[in-house]
Amino acid sequence: MTPDVDIPQEIEIRGDRFVPFIEVQRIQERTTEIAERINRDMDGETPIFICVLNGAFMFFADLVRQITIDCEVDFLKLSSYGEKKISSGNVQLVKDLNCEVEGRNIVIVEDIVDTGFSIDFMKKWIGKKNPASLKIVTLLHKPSSTKISHTLDYVGFEIPTKFVVGYGLDYAQKARNLPAIYILDGNHDTEQ
Ligand code: IMP
Ligand code: MG
């Protein structure tokens, strides 16, 4: 077994302190399990994996490199958080897909499902383009934050309603580069 990557034991962003929460090796193991399940479940199909920018870029790269079935990739960019730690609920499309969706098996790859507003937006947006099927993969899910519920086909980790950063996820655009996932330190829940 490879030793875990040496990571900082705390980071500070805008006066908030974050501590390690999900280590690199656990992320990798779970990502491999999800990729193997997708390879089995979608055997014989040629899905298009959609990376939801920016947050999902790291998980997406690690996931699709373990996909062994024939597939394509494309990218979509949403915005809803601004520089705050709670969703504005006002989801906007910043970059649309470039692929033809009609009749295709689409797999949305998200970093985290929090309120569910973003997933709701994408299911409607992509649904209108008549895909053959539409599945959702998310690395993280905060079940207690749900405002709009949708079936999540593959979930890496269920986590409490606290802000997390690292491994693609940001706070005010910072910390996306960290290889592990960090959580806001202390007892307070997500705050504005
Ligand atoms: P939702 O629309 O509230 O479900 O939020 C979805 C998006 O908000 C995710 O794709 C993330 O980009 C962002 N987000 C939600 N929770 C967090 C968090 O704890 N840290 C960083 N980004 C988050
Ligand atoms: Mg996201």
Side-chain angles (χ1 to χ4, degrees):
M1 225 186 279
T2 48
D4 201 17
V5 179
D6 201 12
I7 56 163
Q9 289 309 297
E10 70 167 65
I11 53 162
E12 201 185 299
I13 308 169
R14 294 190 162 185
D16 283 326
R17 188 169 171 266
F18 292 83
V19 291
F21 181 51
I22 308 177
E23 65 180 26
V24 175
Q25 197 184 323
R26 269 183 78 209
I27 298 171
Q28 284 170 356
E29 285 166 0
R30 194 72 184 118
T31 304
T32 300
E33 283 170 16
I34 292 173
E36 285 171 352
R37 276 178 54 206
I38 294 173
N39 287 331
R40 274 199 306 274
D41 294 350
M42 303 194 84
D43 190 24
E45 299 174 14
T46 304
I48 308 177
F49 290 93
I50 309 292
C51 176
V52 185
L53 296 169
N54 293 336
F57 80 96
M58 209 176 273
F59 174 51
F60 187 81
D62 285 345
L63 182 76
V64 297
R65 83 181 73 195
Q66 298 182 75
I67 296 296
T68 51
I69 57 172
D70 197 27
C71 68
E72 298 171 23
V73 301
D74 200 6
F75 302 84
L76 182 110
K77 185 166 178 174
L78 299 179
S79 142
S80 74
Y81 268 49
E83 304 231 313
K84 302 238 160 56
K85 292 203 236 51
I86 54 168
S87 171
S88 66
N90 175 23
V91 181
Q92 285 177 358
L93 187 72
V94 179
K95 184 212 163 295
D96 198 359
L97 297 172
N98 286 113
C99 61
E100 199 55 61
V101 167
E102 181 147 7
R104 301 296 303 271
N105 300 111
I106 305 294
V107 183
I108 296 172
V109 182
E110 259 286 27
D111 50 356
I112 183 164
V113 177
D114 183 22
T115 60
F117 287 132
S118 304
I119 288 296
D120 186 64
F121 177 91
M122 286 186 283
K123 282 205 92 164
K124 288 178 183 149
W125 182 258
I126 298 173
K128 273 194 292 198
K129 300 172 189 263
N130 297 320
S133 67
L134 184 52
K135 287 186 173 168
I136 298 166
V137 183
T138 185
L139 177 65
L140 305 173
H141 181 211
K142 293 180 186 168
S144 311
S145 304
T146 307
K147 299 237 170 71
I148 307 178
S149 179
H150 284 287
T151 303
L152 304 174
D153 300 276
Y154 307 93
V155 176
F157 302 96
E158 293 203 337
I159 65 168
T161 301
K162 271 195 168 190
F163 206 74
V164 290
V165 297
Y167 195 67
L169 293 106
D170 75 305
Y171 173 33
Q173 298 305 327
K174 297 293 191 301
R176 293 193 195 278
N177 56 309
L178 295 168
I181 293 169
Y182 289 69
I183 195 161
L184 192 58
D185 194 25
N187 294 324
H188 46 304
D189 271 0
T190 298
E191 290 163 2
Q192 189 141 6

